[in-house]
Amino acid sequence: MAAPVVGRFAPTPSGRMHLGNLLCSLLAWLSARQAGGRVVLRIEDLDQGRTSLAYTRQLEKDLLALGLNWDEGGLSAGAPGPYCQSQRTAYYEGQLKKLQAQGLVYPCFCSRAELHAASAPHASDGELLYAGKCRSLSPEEAAARAQKRPPALRLRVPGEEIAFTDGHYGPMAQNLARDCGDFILRRSDGVFAYQLAVAADDAAMGVTQVVRGRDLLSSTPRQLYLYRLLGLAPPSFAHAPLLLAPDGRRLSKRDKDISLESLLGAGFTPEEITGRLAFCAGLLDSPRPTAPAQLLPFFSWQKVPKEDIRLPEGLFAR
Ligand code: GLU
């Protein structure tokens, strides 16, 4: 018998959800529910300076307002949580130790300015490709430098191609050393990095199916490499096209005009919003009011475009 499907929402509570976040949550929900699966809500609030409890409460409300429910996680979850990353530091420490025991972690003392000066932009997502300045510091040198400035911790990556098949974009491959470089596991301020936390958490929470925005497609090989090193079973991955504003720019949480809050305030019903999103994603042939559960018979990744989706002008105007 196939293992039960577990999908997830993994929002970062750094602002109000915008339509792109909601479309991605809708696709994650449909993908898990259509397979009869459960959904976990994990709050990605590692960066406490950028996230807040108020936004977390709000995003829970927003998801529920649209009918995107979950079975486990969120603020009110008990054991086996916690489901907020800010409360999972001890678990990440344990995972980090496993990597350190393999001799693959080293301290990096480079400042932001040094990184910018010495690194090439990341081939795929505009991040910096680390040139490896601190890769071969001796333990004595590293200890002396750590007296002056706390280091970030990086993972040594191999010049190896990591390949996987994305559920929407098909076969993908990345050479970690060439395309990505040694990446950060823990920042110099002690905050664990997204890559480690997300892989370790998806495994710990039993997630079998990751659906998220295409902007994270190029993070997947790094996460697969972490799964391998940590001896964890990887989930399947399906990435969704991004939703763009009518003028082609990427939506951002700063775009108040297209937040759920402002759309509900303008008098759109949750079904009108869901129906319009489903229409944009190719799941409906007209933008008619629809609840997520009514979309279950229509959902198929084959209908969803691969190119990013530009919101038609006026679709969300009153
Ligand atoms: N927390 C990330 C975001 O809100 C998503 C991470 C993931 O899905 O892996 O963009």
Side-chain angles (χ1 to χ4, degrees), residues 8 10-12 44 194 198 210-212 216 253:
R8 44 79 145 180
T12 301
E44 303 220 320
Y194 160 72
V198 83
V210 167
V211 173
R212 60 187 177 192
L216 291 168
K253 290 195 171 119

Side-chain angles (χ1 to χ4, degrees), residues 4-73:
V5 166
V6 182
R8 44 79 145 180
F9 302 136
T12 301
S14 58
R16 291 295 304 252
M17 301 253 263
H18 59 61
L19 286 174
N21 305 133
L22 293 171
L23 174 60
C24 197
S25 307
L26 175 65
L27 293 171
W29 187 93
L30 288 170
S31 190
R33 296 296 191 210
Q34 197 186 51
R38 292 185 298 123
V39 178
V40 170
L41 170 60
R42 180 175 65 247
I43 307 297
E44 303 220 320
D45 59 350
L46 279 173
D47 190 339
Q48 292 274 285
R50 255 179 7 102
T51 57
S52 79
L53 186 59
Y55 283 134
T56 304
R57 291 209 173 98
Q58 191 57 53
L59 73 84
E60 288 197 343
K61 266 200 210 154
D62 287 352
L63 288 168
L64 291 175
L66 285 198
L68 300 175
N69 58 351
W70 57 94
D71 307 285
E72 252 174 69

Side-chain angles (χ1 to χ4, degrees), residues 97-159:
K97 286 209 176 85
K98 289 196 211 168
L99 300 170
Q100 285 169 321
Q102 296 172 59
L104 293 171
V105 181
Y106 65 89
C108 172
F109 297 90
C110 294
S111 65
R112 199 174 279 269
E114 282 170 316
L115 290 176
H116 277 273
S119 313
H122 206 283
S124 46
D125 59 13
E127 275 178 49
L128 295 175
L129 199 152
Y130 184 56
K133 191 162 175 231
C134 296
R135 209 175 205 241
S136 45
L137 288 181
S138 69
E140 298 73 37
E141 216 174 328
R145 293 186 68 171
Q147 300 289 321
K148 298 200 204 96
R149 167 192 171 91
L153 298 179
R154 281 188 193 271
L155 182 74
R156 223 174 265 282
V157 299

Side-chain angles (χ1 to χ4, degrees), residues 142-174:
R145 293 186 68 171
Q147 300 289 321
K148 298 200 204 96
R149 167 192 171 91
L153 298 179
R154 281 188 193 271
L155 182 74
R156 223 174 265 282
V157 299
E160 179 191 326
E161 188 127 301
I162 307 268
F164 71 104
T165 301
D166 185 77
H168 190 45
Y169 288 95
M172 297 280 145
Q174 203 180 62

